[in-house]
mmCIF file of all heavy atoms in Angstrom:
data_model
loop_
_atom_site.group_PDB
_atom_site.id
_atom_site.type_symbol
_atom_site.label_atom_id
_atom_site.label_comp_id
_atom_site.label_asym_id
_atom_site.label_seq_id
_atom_site.Cartn_x
_atom_site.Cartn_y
_atom_site.Cartn_z
ATOM 1 N N LEU A 1644 -64.143 6.473 9.884
ATOM 2 C CA LEU A 1644 -64.089 5.593 8.708
ATOM 3 C C LEU A 1644 -62.650 5.433 8.216
ATOM 4 O O LEU A 1644 -62.189 4.331 7.917
ATOM 5 C CB LEU A 1644 -64.979 6.176 7.609
ATOM 6 C CG LEU A 1644 -65.015 5.388 6.309
ATOM 7 C CD1 LEU A 1644 -65.574 4.001 6.537
ATOM 8 C CD2 LEU A 1644 -65.849 6.107 5.263
ATOM 9 N N ASP A 1647 -60.811 3.162 10.479
ATOM 10 C CA ASP A 1647 -61.195 1.766 10.225
ATOM 11 C C ASP A 1647 -60.511 1.245 8.968
ATOM 12 O O ASP A 1647 -60.000 0.126 8.941
ATOM 13 C CB ASP A 1647 -62.716 1.650 10.036
ATOM 14 C CG ASP A 1647 -63.424 1.551 11.377
ATOM 15 O OD1 ASP A 1647 -62.724 1.580 12.407
ATOM 16 O OD2 ASP A 1647 -64.665 1.455 11.380
ATOM 17 N N ASN A 1710 -67.321 -1.671 18.915
ATOM 18 C CA ASN A 1710 -67.895 -2.056 17.619
ATOM 19 C C ASN A 1710 -69.142 -2.909 17.827
ATOM 20 O O ASN A 1710 -70.176 -2.685 17.177
ATOM 21 C CB ASN A 1710 -66.893 -2.887 16.798
ATOM 22 C CG ASN A 1710 -65.874 -2.029 16.097
ATOM 23 O OD1 ASN A 1710 -66.082 -0.834 15.913
ATOM 24 N ND2 ASN A 1710 -64.763 -2.629 15.700
ATOM 25 N N LEU A 1711 -69.040 -3.897 18.723
ATOM 26 C CA LEU A 1711 -70.172 -4.819 18.921
ATOM 27 C C LEU A 1711 -71.359 -4.092 19.549
ATOM 28 O O LEU A 1711 -72.513 -4.286 19.142
ATOM 29 C CB LEU A 1711 -69.749 -6.003 19.803
ATOM 30 C CG LEU A 1711 -68.679 -6.919 19.192
ATOM 31 C CD1 LEU A 1711 -68.280 -8.014 20.176
ATOM 32 C CD2 LEU A 1711 -69.179 -7.543 17.891
ATOM 33 N N VAL A 1712 -71.068 -3.217 20.535
ATOM 34 C CA VAL A 1712 -72.163 -2.510 21.203
ATOM 35 C C VAL A 1712 -72.806 -1.508 20.235
ATOM 36 O O VAL A 1712 -74.041 -1.418 20.144
ATOM 37 C CB VAL A 1712 -71.658 -1.801 22.489
ATOM 38 C CG1 VAL A 1712 -72.719 -0.893 23.075
ATOM 39 C CG2 VAL A 1712 -71.229 -2.834 23.512
ATOM 40 N N SER A 1713 -71.970 -0.805 19.457
ATOM 41 C CA SER A 1713 -72.573 0.191 18.559
ATOM 42 C C SER A 1713 -73.381 -0.500 17.455
ATOM 43 O O SER A 1713 -74.437 -0.022 17.068
ATOM 44 C CB SER A 1713 -71.518 1.163 18.038
ATOM 45 O OG SER A 1713 -71.181 0.878 16.725
ATOM 46 N N ASN A 1714 -72.934 -1.674 16.982
ATOM 47 C CA ASN A 1714 -73.742 -2.435 16.016
ATOM 48 C C ASN A 1714 -75.068 -2.863 16.644
ATOM 49 O O ASN A 1714 -76.123 -2.778 16.007
ATOM 50 C CB ASN A 1714 -73.001 -3.704 15.569
ATOM 51 C CG ASN A 1714 -72.054 -3.430 14.420
ATOM 52 O OD1 ASN A 1714 -72.015 -2.333 13.890
ATOM 53 N ND2 ASN A 1714 -71.283 -4.425 14.044
ATOM 54 N N ALA A 1715 -74.981 -3.368 17.879
ATOM 55 C CA ALA A 1715 -76.204 -3.867 18.544
ATOM 56 C C ALA A 1715 -77.246 -2.744 18.640
ATOM 57 O O ALA A 1715 -78.441 -2.974 18.433
ATOM 58 C CB ALA A 1715 -75.853 -4.409 19.924
ATOM 59 N N ILE A 1716 -76.771 -1.514 18.900
ATOM 60 C CA ILE A 1716 -77.710 -0.373 18.990
ATOM 61 C C ILE A 1716 -78.207 0.002 17.591
ATOM 62 O O ILE A 1716 -79.407 0.149 17.343
ATOM 63 C CB ILE A 1716 -77.019 0.846 19.653
ATOM 64 C CG1 ILE A 1716 -76.560 0.498 21.070
ATOM 65 C CG2 ILE A 1716 -77.944 2.061 19.658
ATOM 66 C CD1 ILE A 1716 -75.664 1.544 21.715
ATOM 67 N N LYS A 1717 -77.229 0.094 16.669
ATOM 68 C CA LYS A 1717 -77.525 0.539 15.299
ATOM 69 C C LYS A 1717 -78.512 -0.393 14.604
ATOM 70 O O LYS A 1717 -79.390 0.045 13.870
ATOM 71 C CB LYS A 1717 -76.178 0.546 14.562
ATOM 72 C CG LYS A 1717 -76.132 1.177 13.229
ATOM 73 C CD LYS A 1717 -74.676 1.489 12.879
ATOM 74 C CE LYS A 1717 -73.983 0.330 12.214
ATOM 75 N NZ LYS A 1717 -72.730 0.680 11.525
ATOM 76 N N TYR A 1718 -78.370 -1.697 14.814
ATOM 77 C CA TYR A 1718 -79.247 -2.657 14.128
ATOM 78 C C TYR A 1718 -80.462 -3.045 14.975
ATOM 79 O O TYR A 1718 -81.030 -4.116 14.812
ATOM 80 C CB TYR A 1718 -78.437 -3.878 13.668
ATOM 81 C CG TYR A 1718 -77.393 -3.468 12.659
ATOM 82 C CD1 TYR A 1718 -76.038 -3.490 12.958
ATOM 83 C CD2 TYR A 1718 -77.771 -2.990 11.408
ATOM 84 C CE1 TYR A 1718 -75.089 -3.062 12.035
ATOM 85 C CE2 TYR A 1718 -76.832 -2.556 10.477
ATOM 86 C CZ TYR A 1718 -75.504 -2.587 10.798
ATOM 87 O OH TYR A 1718 -74.579 -2.147 9.875
ATOM 88 N N SER A 1719 -80.838 -2.147 15.914
ATOM 89 C CA SER A 1719 -82.087 -2.305 16.672
ATOM 90 C C SER A 1719 -82.929 -1.056 16.392
ATOM 91 O O SER A 1719 -83.133 -0.213 17.286
ATOM 92 C CB SER A 1719 -81.803 -2.399 18.177
ATOM 93 O OG SER A 1719 -81.033 -3.529 18.463
ATOM 94 N N VAL A 1740 -72.573 -9.959 23.686
ATOM 95 C CA VAL A 1740 -73.290 -8.714 23.371
ATOM 96 C C VAL A 1740 -74.564 -9.136 22.646
ATOM 97 O O VAL A 1740 -74.514 -9.670 21.539
ATOM 98 C CB VAL A 1740 -72.434 -7.780 22.493
ATOM 99 C CG1 VAL A 1740 -73.201 -6.503 22.169
ATOM 100 C CG2 VAL A 1740 -71.117 -7.438 23.191
ATOM 101 N N GLN A 1741 -75.703 -8.958 23.335
ATOM 102 C CA GLN A 1741 -76.987 -9.442 22.796
ATOM 103 C C GLN A 1741 -77.906 -8.283 22.465
ATOM 104 O O GLN A 1741 -77.968 -7.309 23.209
ATOM 105 C CB GLN A 1741 -77.713 -10.284 23.848
ATOM 106 C CG GLN A 1741 -77.028 -11.592 24.161
ATOM 107 C CD GLN A 1741 -77.685 -12.266 25.349
ATOM 108 O OE1 GLN A 1741 -77.410 -11.875 26.482
ATOM 109 N NE2 GLN A 1741 -78.536 -13.231 25.096
ATOM 110 N N ASP A 1742 -78.617 -8.418 21.352
ATOM 111 C CA ASP A 1742 -79.651 -7.415 21.058
ATOM 112 C C ASP A 1742 -80.893 -8.129 20.569
ATOM 113 O O ASP A 1742 -80.849 -9.323 20.247
ATOM 114 C CB ASP A 1742 -79.145 -6.409 20.000
ATOM 115 C CG ASP A 1742 -78.901 -7.043 18.641
ATOM 116 O OD1 ASP A 1742 -79.878 -7.446 17.992
ATOM 117 O OD2 ASP A 1742 -77.722 -7.134 18.227
ATOM 118 N N GLY A 1744 -82.674 -6.858 17.969
ATOM 119 C CA GLY A 1744 -82.909 -6.053 16.773
ATOM 120 C C GLY A 1744 -83.260 -6.874 15.546
ATOM 121 O O GLY A 1744 -83.885 -7.935 15.656
ATOM 122 N N ILE A 1745 -82.775 -6.413 14.385
ATOM 123 C CA ILE A 1745 -83.240 -6.993 13.110
ATOM 124 C C ILE A 1745 -82.706 -8.406 12.846
ATOM 125 O O ILE A 1745 -83.259 -9.137 12.042
ATOM 126 C CB ILE A 1745 -82.880 -6.084 11.903
ATOM 127 C CG1 ILE A 1745 -81.372 -5.876 11.827
ATOM 128 C CG2 ILE A 1745 -83.600 -4.751 11.980
ATOM 129 C CD1 ILE A 1745 -80.920 -5.123 10.569
ATOM 130 N N GLY A 1746 -81.597 -8.789 13.496
ATOM 131 C CA GLY A 1746 -81.029 -10.117 13.277
ATOM 132 C C GLY A 1746 -80.564 -10.303 11.839
ATOM 133 O O GLY A 1746 -80.557 -9.374 11.027
ATOM 134 N N MET A 1747 -80.189 -11.534 11.505
ATOM 135 C CA MET A 1747 -79.673 -11.834 10.154
ATOM 136 C C MET A 1747 -80.010 -13.265 9.789
ATOM 137 O O MET A 1747 -80.325 -14.075 10.663
ATOM 138 C CB MET A 1747 -78.143 -11.761 10.175
ATOM 139 C CG MET A 1747 -77.533 -10.420 10.115
ATOM 140 S SD MET A 1747 -75.756 -10.605 10.378
ATOM 141 C CE MET A 1747 -75.634 -10.585 12.141
ATOM 142 N N ASP A 1751 -75.966 -14.754 6.049
ATOM 143 C CA ASP A 1751 -75.300 -13.485 6.392
ATOM 144 C C ASP A 1751 -74.319 -13.703 7.532
ATOM 145 O O ASP A 1751 -73.198 -13.191 7.508
ATOM 146 C CB ASP A 1751 -76.327 -12.438 6.850
ATOM 147 C CG ASP A 1751 -77.186 -11.952 5.715
ATOM 148 O OD1 ASP A 1751 -76.702 -11.965 4.574
ATOM 149 O OD2 ASP A 1751 -78.347 -11.569 5.979
ATOM 150 N N LYS A 1754 -70.893 -14.592 6.829
ATOM 151 C CA LYS A 1754 -70.001 -13.669 6.099
ATOM 152 C C LYS A 1754 -69.714 -12.372 6.833
ATOM 153 O O LYS A 1754 -68.925 -11.572 6.364
ATOM 154 C CB LYS A 1754 -70.646 -13.323 4.749
ATOM 155 C CG LYS A 1754 -70.871 -14.539 3.891
ATOM 156 C CD LYS A 1754 -71.347 -14.123 2.518
ATOM 157 C CE LYS A 1754 -72.070 -15.246 1.826
ATOM 158 N NZ LYS A 1754 -73.324 -14.867 1.251
ATOM 159 N N VAL A 1755 -70.383 -12.126 7.969
ATOM 160 C CA VAL A 1755 -70.272 -10.788 8.581
ATOM 161 C C VAL A 1755 -68.873 -10.393 9.012
ATOM 162 O O VAL A 1755 -68.585 -9.212 9.152
ATOM 163 C CB VAL A 1755 -71.211 -10.603 9.805
ATOM 164 C CG1 VAL A 1755 -72.624 -10.399 9.382
ATOM 165 C CG2 VAL A 1755 -71.054 -11.725 10.782
ATOM 166 N N PHE A 1756 -67.977 -11.386 9.205
ATOM 167 C CA PHE A 1756 -66.625 -11.030 9.646
ATOM 168 C C PHE A 1756 -65.685 -10.765 8.461
ATOM 169 O O PHE A 1756 -64.501 -10.536 8.639
ATOM 170 C CB PHE A 1756 -66.056 -12.128 10.558
ATOM 171 C CG PHE A 1756 -66.857 -12.288 11.828
ATOM 172 C CD1 PHE A 1756 -67.735 -13.352 11.982
ATOM 173 C CD2 PHE A 1756 -66.768 -11.352 12.851
ATOM 174 C CE1 PHE A 1756 -68.488 -13.490 13.132
ATOM 175 C CE2 PHE A 1756 -67.513 -11.473 14.002
ATOM 176 C CZ PHE A 1756 -68.382 -12.550 14.146
ATOM 177 N N THR A 1757 -66.255 -10.819 7.238
ATOM 178 C CA THR A 1757 -65.452 -10.550 6.041
ATOM 179 C C THR A 1757 -65.445 -9.044 5.776
ATOM 180 O O THR A 1757 -66.488 -8.395 5.900
ATOM 181 C CB THR A 1757 -66.112 -11.254 4.828
ATOM 182 O OG1 THR A 1757 -66.377 -12.587 5.196
ATOM 183 C CG2 THR A 1757 -65.238 -11.207 3.602
ATOM 184 N N ARG A 1758 -64.293 -8.523 5.391
ATOM 185 C CA ARG A 1758 -64.184 -7.074 5.142
ATOM 186 C C ARG A 1758 -65.192 -6.592 4.117
ATOM 187 O O ARG A 1758 -65.389 -7.240 3.090
ATOM 188 C CB ARG A 1758 -62.786 -6.741 4.637
ATOM 189 C CG ARG A 1758 -61.807 -6.588 5.753
ATOM 190 C CD ARG A 1758 -60.616 -5.805 5.322
ATOM 191 N NE ARG A 1758 -59.799 -6.561 4.383
ATOM 192 C CZ ARG A 1758 -58.813 -6.014 3.705
ATOM 193 N NH1 ARG A 1758 -58.535 -4.739 3.850
ATOM 194 N NH2 ARG A 1758 -58.099 -6.734 2.887
ATOM 195 N N PHE A 1759 -65.803 -5.479 4.376
ATOM 196 C CA PHE A 1759 -66.754 -4.774 3.499
ATOM 197 C C PHE A 1759 -68.084 -5.505 3.331
ATOM 198 O O PHE A 1759 -68.911 -5.089 2.542
ATOM 199 C CB PHE A 1759 -66.150 -4.490 2.107
ATOM 200 C CG PHE A 1759 -64.923 -3.623 2.167
ATOM 201 C CD1 PHE A 1759 -63.666 -4.136 1.872
ATOM 202 C CD2 PHE A 1759 -65.009 -2.292 2.556
ATOM 203 C CE1 PHE A 1759 -62.525 -3.347 1.954
ATOM 204 C CE2 PHE A 1759 -63.884 -1.491 2.633
ATOM 205 C CZ PHE A 1759 -62.647 -2.015 2.333
ATOM 206 N N TYR A 1760 -68.276 -6.629 4.057
ATOM 207 C CA TYR A 1760 -69.562 -7.325 3.897
ATOM 208 C C TYR A 1760 -70.649 -6.605 4.705
ATOM 209 O O TYR A 1760 -70.471 -6.299 5.875
ATOM 210 C CB TYR A 1760 -69.482 -8.790 4.365
ATOM 211 C CG TYR A 1760 -70.812 -9.488 4.133
ATOM 212 C CD1 TYR A 1760 -71.156 -9.931 2.864
ATOM 213 C CD2 TYR A 1760 -71.745 -9.609 5.160
ATOM 214 C CE1 TYR A 1760 -72.393 -10.507 2.621
ATOM 215 C CE2 TYR A 1760 -72.988 -10.185 4.921
ATOM 216 C CZ TYR A 1760 -73.295 -10.624 3.651
ATOM 217 O OH TYR A 1760 -74.526 -11.184 3.405
ATOM 218 N N ARG A 1761 -71.775 -6.336 4.041
ATOM 219 C CA ARG A 1761 -72.980 -5.832 4.706
ATOM 220 C C ARG A 1761 -74.126 -6.709 4.218
ATOM 221 O O ARG A 1761 -74.182 -7.050 3.033
ATOM 222 C CB ARG A 1761 -73.272 -4.370 4.333
ATOM 223 C CG ARG A 1761 -72.103 -3.424 4.580
ATOM 224 C CD ARG A 1761 -72.580 -1.978 4.674
ATOM 225 N NE ARG A 1761 -73.184 -1.719 5.973
ATOM 226 C CZ ARG A 1761 -74.144 -0.828 6.199
ATOM 227 N NH1 ARG A 1761 -74.624 -0.122 5.186
ATOM 228 N NH2 ARG A 1761 -74.646 -0.660 7.392
ATOM 229 N N SER A 1762 -75.054 -7.092 5.110
ATOM 230 C CA SER A 1762 -76.140 -7.982 4.686
ATOM 231 C C SER A 1762 -77.011 -7.253 3.655
ATOM 232 O O SER A 1762 -77.143 -6.030 3.701
ATOM 233 C CB SER A 1762 -76.972 -8.410 5.896
ATOM 234 O OG SER A 1762 -77.626 -7.292 6.423
ATOM 235 N N PRO A 1763 -77.601 -7.999 2.695
ATOM 236 C CA PRO A 1763 -78.410 -7.344 1.660
ATOM 237 C C PRO A 1763 -79.514 -6.470 2.261
ATOM 238 O O PRO A 1763 -79.764 -5.364 1.777
ATOM 239 C CB PRO A 1763 -78.997 -8.521 0.880
ATOM 240 C CG PRO A 1763 -78.082 -9.663 1.154
ATOM 241 C CD PRO A 1763 -77.488 -9.440 2.497
ATOM 242 N N ALA A 1764 -80.138 -6.936 3.355
ATOM 243 C CA ALA A 1764 -81.226 -6.175 3.969
ATOM 244 C C ALA A 1764 -80.730 -4.806 4.438
ATOM 245 O O ALA A 1764 -81.413 -3.791 4.309
ATOM 246 C CB ALA A 1764 -81.793 -6.958 5.149
ATOM 247 N N VAL A 1765 -79.499 -4.780 4.961
ATOM 248 C CA VAL A 1765 -78.930 -3.540 5.509
ATOM 249 C C VAL A 1765 -78.420 -2.628 4.390
ATOM 250 O O VAL A 1765 -78.558 -1.408 4.444
ATOM 251 C CB VAL A 1765 -77.801 -3.921 6.500
ATOM 252 C CG1 VAL A 1765 -76.859 -2.774 6.728
ATOM 253 C CG2 VAL A 1765 -78.390 -4.408 7.803
ATOM 254 N N ARG A 1766 -77.833 -3.261 3.341
ATOM 255 C CA ARG A 1766 -77.259 -2.487 2.239
ATOM 256 C C ARG A 1766 -78.298 -1.567 1.605
ATOM 257 O O ARG A 1766 -77.991 -0.474 1.185
ATOM 258 C CB ARG A 1766 -76.698 -3.439 1.177
ATOM 259 C CG ARG A 1766 -75.248 -3.221 0.916
ATOM 260 C CD ARG A 1766 -74.717 -4.210 -0.081
ATOM 261 N NE ARG A 1766 -74.576 -5.549 0.466
ATOM 262 C CZ ARG A 1766 -74.862 -6.665 -0.196
ATOM 263 N NH1 ARG A 1766 -75.313 -6.624 -1.416
ATOM 264 N NH2 ARG A 1766 -74.696 -7.835 0.365
ATOM 265 N N ILE A 1770 -79.409 2.507 7.400
ATOM 266 C CA ILE A 1770 -78.416 2.463 8.491
ATOM 267 C C ILE A 1770 -77.008 2.562 7.884
ATOM 268 O O ILE A 1770 -76.625 1.735 7.061
ATOM 269 C CB ILE A 1770 -78.552 1.151 9.313
ATOM 270 C CG1 ILE A 1770 -79.981 1.006 9.837
ATOM 271 C CG2 ILE A 1770 -77.543 1.120 10.451
ATOM 272 C CD1 ILE A 1770 -80.281 -0.319 10.516
ATOM 273 N N PRO A 1771 -76.216 3.589 8.292
ATOM 274 C CA PRO A 1771 -74.911 3.779 7.649
ATOM 275 C C PRO A 1771 -73.875 2.767 8.125
ATOM 276 O O PRO A 1771 -73.993 2.208 9.214
ATOM 277 C CB PRO A 1771 -74.508 5.192 8.085
ATOM 278 C CG PRO A 1771 -75.211 5.402 9.372
ATOM 279 C CD PRO A 1771 -76.470 4.585 9.347
ATOM 280 N N GLY A 1772 -72.876 2.515 7.298
ATOM 281 C CA GLY A 1772 -71.791 1.605 7.676
ATOM 282 C C GLY A 1772 -70.963 1.254 6.462
ATOM 283 O O GLY A 1772 -71.403 1.439 5.326
ATOM 284 N N ALA A 1773 -69.728 0.758 6.731
ATOM 285 C CA ALA A 1773 -68.839 0.407 5.626
ATOM 286 C C ALA A 1773 -68.518 -1.085 5.606
ATOM 287 O O ALA A 1773 -67.808 -1.549 4.726
ATOM 288 C CB ALA A 1773 -67.539 1.207 5.747
ATOM 289 N N GLY A 1774 -69.013 -1.828 6.588
ATOM 290 C CA GLY A 1774 -68.745 -3.272 6.613
ATOM 291 C C GLY A 1774 -67.332 -3.595 7.082
ATOM 292 O O GLY A 1774 -66.772 -4.614 6.682
ATOM 293 N N LEU A 1775 -66.765 -2.728 7.939
ATOM 294 C CA LEU A 1775 -65.390 -2.977 8.387
ATOM 295 C C LEU A 1775 -65.285 -3.344 9.867
ATOM 296 O O LEU A 1775 -64.367 -4.036 10.284
ATOM 297 C CB LEU A 1775 -64.537 -1.721 8.153
ATOM 298 C CG LEU A 1775 -64.180 -1.425 6.702
ATOM 299 C CD1 LEU A 1775 -63.522 -0.059 6.576
ATOM 300 C CD2 LEU A 1775 -63.243 -2.497 6.175
ATOM 301 N N GLY A 1776 -66.273 -2.867 10.662
ATOM 302 C CA GLY A 1776 -66.180 -3.004 12.127
ATOM 303 C C GLY A 1776 -65.963 -4.439 12.591
ATOM 304 O O GLY A 1776 -65.085 -4.710 13.415
ATOM 305 N N LEU A 1777 -66.732 -5.382 12.036
ATOM 306 C CA LEU A 1777 -66.631 -6.758 12.538
ATOM 307 C C LEU A 1777 -65.338 -7.439 12.091
ATOM 308 O O LEU A 1777 -64.803 -8.274 12.806
ATOM 309 C CB LEU A 1777 -67.845 -7.587 12.093
ATOM 310 C CG LEU A 1777 -69.157 -7.255 12.819
ATOM 311 C CD1 LEU A 1777 -70.288 -8.153 12.333
ATOM 312 C CD2 LEU A 1777 -68.992 -7.403 14.331
ATOM 313 N N SER A 1778 -64.832 -7.070 10.890
ATOM 314 C CA SER A 1778 -63.570 -7.705 10.463
ATOM 315 C C SER A 1778 -62.439 -7.204 11.355
ATOM 316 O O SER A 1778 -61.529 -7.957 11.712
ATOM 317 C CB SER A 1778 -63.288 -7.450 8.987
ATOM 318 O OG SER A 1778 -63.063 -6.090 8.764
ATOM 319 N N ILE A 1779 -62.519 -5.927 11.765
ATOM 320 C CA ILE A 1779 -61.493 -5.391 12.676
ATOM 321 C C ILE A 1779 -61.620 -6.074 14.042
ATOM 322 O O ILE A 1779 -60.636 -6.480 14.655
ATOM 323 C CB ILE A 1779 -61.644 -3.851 12.792
ATOM 324 C CG1 ILE A 1779 -61.273 -3.216 11.449
ATOM 325 C CG2 ILE A 1779 -60.803 -3.300 13.924
ATOM 326 C CD1 ILE A 1779 -61.524 -1.728 11.363
ATOM 327 N N THR A 1780 -62.874 -6.227 14.489
ATOM 328 C CA THR A 1780 -63.118 -6.884 15.778
ATOM 329 C C THR A 1780 -62.509 -8.291 15.764
ATOM 330 O O THR A 1780 -61.829 -8.700 16.702
ATOM 331 C CB THR A 1780 -64.640 -6.964 16.029
ATOM 332 O OG1 THR A 1780 -65.137 -5.637 16.041
ATOM 333 C CG2 THR A 1780 -64.971 -7.667 17.322
ATOM 334 N N CYS A 1793 -71.105 -15.491 16.003
ATOM 335 C CA CYS A 1793 -72.391 -14.789 16.006
ATOM 336 C C CYS A 1793 -73.513 -15.808 15.896
ATOM 337 O O CYS A 1793 -73.459 -16.716 15.059
ATOM 338 C CB CYS A 1793 -72.400 -13.857 14.800
ATOM 339 S SG CYS A 1793 -74.019 -13.276 14.343
ATOM 340 N N THR A 1795 -77.730 -15.758 15.432
ATOM 341 C CA THR A 1795 -78.712 -14.741 15.078
ATOM 342 C C THR A 1795 -79.905 -15.355 14.369
ATOM 343 O O THR A 1795 -79.784 -16.426 13.769
ATOM 344 C CB THR A 1795 -78.017 -13.673 14.187
ATOM 345 O OG1 THR A 1795 -78.961 -12.704 13.773
ATOM 346 C CG2 THR A 1795 -77.366 -14.267 12.951
ATOM 347 N N GLY A 1800 -83.092 -10.815 16.603
ATOM 348 C CA GLY A 1800 -81.901 -10.286 17.274
ATOM 349 C C GLY A 1800 -80.672 -11.145 17.076
ATOM 350 O O GLY A 1800 -80.713 -12.178 16.409
ATOM 351 N N SER A 1801 -79.573 -10.659 17.649
ATOM 352 C CA SER A 1801 -78.276 -11.319 17.458
ATOM 353 C C SER A 1801 -77.525 -11.374 18.776
ATOM 354 O O SER A 1801 -77.693 -10.504 19.632
ATOM 355 C CB SER A 1801 -77.403 -10.532 16.481
ATOM 356 O OG SER A 1801 -78.115 -10.223 15.310
ATOM 357 N N THR A 1802 -76.672 -12.388 18.899
ATOM 358 C CA THR A 1802 -75.760 -12.458 20.037
ATOM 359 C C THR A 1802 -74.355 -12.679 19.499
ATOM 360 O O THR A 1802 -74.117 -13.633 18.752
ATOM 361 C CB THR A 1802 -76.125 -13.639 20.969
ATOM 362 O OG1 THR A 1802 -77.441 -13.436 21.444
ATOM 363 C CG2 THR A 1802 -75.169 -13.724 22.146
ATOM 364 N N PHE A 1803 -73.449 -11.773 19.832
ATOM 365 C CA PHE A 1803 -72.041 -11.947 19.460
ATOM 366 C C PHE A 1803 -71.286 -12.416 20.703
ATOM 367 O O PHE A 1803 -71.458 -11.844 21.782
ATOM 368 C CB PHE A 1803 -71.451 -10.628 18.933
ATOM 369 C CG PHE A 1803 -71.919 -10.321 17.529
ATOM 370 C CD1 PHE A 1803 -73.145 -9.711 17.311
ATOM 371 C CD2 PHE A 1803 -71.150 -10.677 16.433
ATOM 372 C CE1 PHE A 1803 -73.596 -9.453 16.014
ATOM 373 C CE2 PHE A 1803 -71.575 -10.428 15.137
ATOM 374 C CZ PHE A 1803 -72.806 -9.809 14.934
HETATM 375 P P1 ADP B 848 -71.155 -1.974 9.357
HETATM 376 O O1 ADP B 848 -72.040 -2.054 10.549
HETATM 377 O O2 ADP B 848 -70.357 -0.735 9.296
HETATM 378 O O3 ADP B 848 -71.897 -2.250 8.081
HETATM 379 P P2 ADP B 848 -69.782 -4.300 10.453
HETATM 380 O O4 ADP B 848 -68.545 -5.000 9.968
HETATM 381 O O5 ADP B 848 -69.778 -3.806 11.841
HETATM 382 O O6 ADP B 848 -70.061 -3.142 9.408
HETATM 383 O O7 ADP B 848 -70.999 -5.310 10.275
HETATM 384 C C1 ADP B 848 -71.102 -6.029 9.062
HETATM 385 C C2 ADP B 848 -72.568 -6.368 8.789
HETATM 386 O O8 ADP B 848 -73.038 -7.306 9.735
HETATM 387 C C3 ADP B 848 -73.513 -5.204 8.917
HETATM 388 O O9 ADP B 848 -73.551 -4.433 7.749
HETATM 389 C C4 ADP B 848 -74.828 -5.905 9.191
HETATM 390 O O10 ADP B 848 -75.368 -6.387 7.970
HETATM 391 C C5 ADP B 848 -74.412 -7.098 10.015
HETATM 392 N N1 ADP B 848 -74.518 -6.864 11.490
HETATM 393 C C6 ADP B 848 -73.523 -6.580 12.337
HETATM 394 N N2 ADP B 848 -73.966 -6.503 13.608
HETATM 395 C C7 ADP B 848 -75.290 -6.761 13.561
HETATM 396 C C8 ADP B 848 -76.314 -6.844 14.543
HETATM 397 N N3 ADP B 848 -76.067 -6.649 15.847
HETATM 398 N N4 ADP B 848 -77.571 -7.135 14.116
HETATM 399 C C9 ADP B 848 -77.830 -7.352 12.808
HETATM 400 N N5 ADP B 848 -76.904 -7.288 11.834
HETATM 401 C C10 ADP B 848 -75.645 -7.000 12.200
#
Side-chain angles (χ1 to χ4, degrees):
L1644 179 62
D1647 276 0
N1710 279 341
L1711 295 177
V1712 171
S1713 104
N1714 275 355
I1716 299 170
K1717 190 162 87 164
Y1718 297 111
S1719 297
V1740 179
Q1741 292 171 281
D1742 66 68
I1745 59 173
M1747 280 172 274
D1751 289 331
K1754 300 187 202 132
V1755 284
F1756 297 103
T1757 311
R1758 277 201 290 169
F1759 299 111
Y1760 182 79
R1761 306 200 77 209
S1762 66
V1765 160
R1766 238 177 287 141
I1770 304 173
L1775 287 171
L1777 287 181
S1778 66
I1779 292 173
T1780 300
C1793 163
T1795 177
S1801 310
T1802 300
F1803 285 83

